[in-house]
């Protein structure tokens, strides 16, 4: 019985630990994005829009940011799958975008970056 409880506890604890590590690594990898993007408390638009609350938000919906027509007309929603495609190769997903970024080819790195930006609420506080 005790063994079972310990094993169940481990299984439940693992995903949480993994995601915290992903976000920590994603924070380091976000240095690739930081010249153009801010996320977290008080994030403001820079060369690119601030990224708070990005998950499941419609593309091109940060007020006051001058998006390209291409992204405005894309009709995309930033779910996990679209964020992966975007970060792998923005121009392939949205030809004509003004995000001049070659992309992150490593899927695990993309996962970590997404885990990091997803760890913030729309108001910049931590989830
Ligand atoms: C050289 C500057 C630059 C870099 C580097 C950059 N971006 Fe962007 N990003 C932009 C611009 C500009 C836009 C707006 C694109 C448009 O309007 O077509 C954008 C748009 C986005 C969007 C869509 C936002 C929305 O509101 O629809 C996401 C998500 C995003 N970037 C994430 C990232 C991440 C994550 C990284 C790092 C891996 C990154 N970007 C690197 C400039 C950059």
């Amino acid at each position: 019985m005790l063994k079972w409880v310990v094993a169940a506890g481990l299984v439940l604890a693992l995903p949480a630990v993994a995601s915290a590590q992903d976000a920590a690594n994603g924070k380091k990898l976000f240095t690739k994005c930081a010249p153009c993007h801010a996320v977290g408390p008080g994030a403001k638009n820079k060369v690119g829009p601030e990224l708070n609350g990005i998950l499941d938000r419609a593309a091109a919906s940060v007020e006051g940011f001058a998006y390209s027509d291409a992204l405005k007309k894309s009709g995309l929603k930033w779910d996990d799958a679209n964020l992966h495609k975007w970060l792998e190769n923005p121009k392939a997903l949205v030809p004509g975008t003004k995000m001049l970024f070659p992309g992150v080819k490593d899927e695990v790195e993309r996962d970590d970056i997404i885990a990091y930006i997803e760890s913030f609420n729309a108001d910049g506080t931590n989830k």
Side-chain angles (χ1 to χ4, degrees):
M1 176 65 185
L2 182 63
K3 256 189 194 158
W4 185 87
V5 170
V6 171
L10 274 179
V11 169
L12 287 176
L14 276 175
V17 170
S19 91
Q21 280 171 351
D22 292 353
N25 192 40
K27 184 178 181 175
K28 290 186 204 140
L29 293 167
F30 194 76
T31 49
K32 296 175 195 267
C33 325
C36 303
H37 289 288
V39 69
K44 298 261 183 308
N45 295 336
K46 295 164 68 175
V47 175
E50 55 95 358
L51 296 177
N52 285 330
I54 193 80
L55 187 66
D56 288 336
R57 192 169 80 190
S61 59
V62 171
E63 253 179 70
F65 184 81
Y67 290 97
S68 65
D69 285 343
L71 192 62
K72 282 193 266 188
K73 288 179 189 153
S74 70
L76 287 171
K77 192 177 87 168
W78 293 127
D79 57 17
D80 201 64
N82 280 336
L83 280 172
H84 264 282
K85 286 186 206 156
W86 175 250
L87 295 182
E88 184 177 8
N89 188 344
K91 279 206 162 128
L93 182 66
V94 181
T97 178
K98 59 181 199 176
M99 173 153 143
L100 302 178
F101 182 68
V104 176
K105 302 305 169 204
D106 186 308
E107 189 180 350
V108 176
E109 286 192 10
R110 289 199 305 272
D111 250 336
D112 291 355
I113 293 170
I114 292 168
Y116 174 63
I117 53 183
E118 282 178 357
S119 70
F120 296 99
N121 293 308
D123 64 1
T125 55
N126 264 111
K127 278 184 183 161

